[in-house]
Each structure stands twice: as structure tokens, then as C-alpha cells.
Amino acid sequence: MIDEHAVHCIRAYALRRRSNLATSNLAPSEIRMLTAEEIVRVRTSFDMVFANANDTMTAFYDRIFELAPEIRPMFPADLSVLKQDFISKLAMLVGSLDPTTGLLGGADILGRNHQKYGAKAEHYPVVGEALLWSLARGLGPHWTDELEQAWRKVYGVVAQRMVDVGNAPPAPSAGPSQRM
């Protein structure tokens, strides 16, 4: 069962995919980082995985804890809400993969939130590998070398931005409009 916040994020993802009206937070070098073909690959593959989101998220968290069991205590015992939250945030980020939307603005909010949760720079590679592994598992024969490279680029940009923001001095408290 997906909660109201997840439904809101999913709707926003769909709107961002259809709209070019949002302002950009991306630097010119970051805009060029992903090609139009890579964006299409990532979005298409996300749409395929989203159809089976619960299984993909279960595989994702299982893989994180397999790779780094020492971080398990950072997470709640019941991961059901976290799974919904992660897939909805991933939907928002995937929906922001073009130069006219705020991909990095979303990553900034995530970075500040994850800093509060105790995330450290060394956790991000583990999460990235778990994400790629779960996507590959969920996509089966649709997972290609080109698709993997596109997802690696997306994760690399988002993770680096989250680490950078997490290492920056804390920002003033975010209002409800900055929840991500």
C-alpha cells in the first residue's frame, strides 16, 4: 500500500516528465553529464521497475545490509515506510533528469536529511551498489551495460551532491515545502 505522500511524489514525477516549466539548479557541466538517450534509458527502466517497486525495494535494502551489516542499526526494524519513501524520492529524482528541473535541489534536501540520520560519505558507495544491483535484478534481461552506465552517472551526481551538502554547515530548518 502506497501512502499519500508517495502518491503525491509519483504524481509530481509524472508532471515533471511532461513539463519544462521548472527552473534549473543544474550547472552547465552537470546538464551535459547525461545525454538525452541516457535520460530516456533511466526513465524507461525506472518505469519498468516501478511496476514491481516493493520487490525492488526489498532487494535494495536486503543488499545494503548484506554489503554493510554494520549500518543496519541506523534503520528502523520495519522498513515498509522507508521503502515507500525511497521509491517515491527516486521517482522525484528520475523525473528531474533534465536541464529545466531541480535535480540537485532535491539532492540538496536529501543530503541535509541524511546528514541528520547519520549518513557518512563512506555509506554512499554501498547504497549505490545496492541500488544498481536491485535495478539489475528487477530489470533482468533489460539491464544493459549502457543502462548501468547511465544509472551510475545519475547516482554519482546525486550522491556527490548529497555528500557535499552533508559536509556543509547545517542550513536553517527547512519548512514543510522543502520536505523530500
Side-chain angles (χ1 to χ4, degrees), residues 74 114-115 118-125 163 167:
M74 294 174 67
H114 281 74
Q115 178 188 37
K120 301 194 180 321
E122 60 267 20
H123 297 146
Y124 288 89
V163 168
N167 289 335

Side-chain angles (χ1 to χ4, degrees), residues 29-158:
S29 62
E30 292 160 331
I31 292 171
R32 289 189 300 267
M33 196 200 110
L34 282 170
T35 66
E37 293 81 17
E38 288 171 324
I39 291 170
V40 168
R41 283 185 195 121
V42 168
R43 287 180 171 169
T44 301
S45 66
F46 178 79
D47 290 344
M48 293 169 66
V49 166
F50 189 79
N52 208 6
N54 192 53
D55 290 344
T56 302
M57 291 299 93
T58 297
F60 169 70
Y61 283 105
D62 288 349
R63 186 66 174 168
I64 288 174
F65 304 139
E66 180 183 318
L67 295 172
E70 70 278 5
I71 67 172
R72 180 62 178 99
M74 294 174 67
F75 294 83
D78 180 1
L79 296 171
S80 56
V81 171
L82 204 55
K83 289 176 191 178
Q84 291 176 8
D85 200 38
F86 185 87
I87 197 71
S88 64
K89 288 174 180 154
L90 189 57
M92 291 291 290
L93 292 170
V94 169
S96 299
L97 291 178
D98 63 67
T100 61
T101 59
L103 172 65
L104 296 182
D108 288 355
I109 295 167
L110 287 171
R112 284 190 293 276
N113 289 344
H114 281 74
Q115 178 188 37
K116 293 175 197 170
Y117 305 144
K120 301 194 180 321
E122 60 267 20
H123 297 146
Y124 288 89
V126 171
V127 172
E129 289 307 310
L131 177 62
L132 294 173
W133 180 87
S134 60
L135 290 169
R137 184 176 176 271
L139 290 166
H142 300 286
W143 186 253
T144 64
D145 290 342
E146 294 83 12
L147 183 56
E148 179 180 352
Q149 290 311 309
W151 272 102
R152 280 190 184 280
K153 284 183 180 181
V154 170
Y155 184 77
V157 167
V158 171

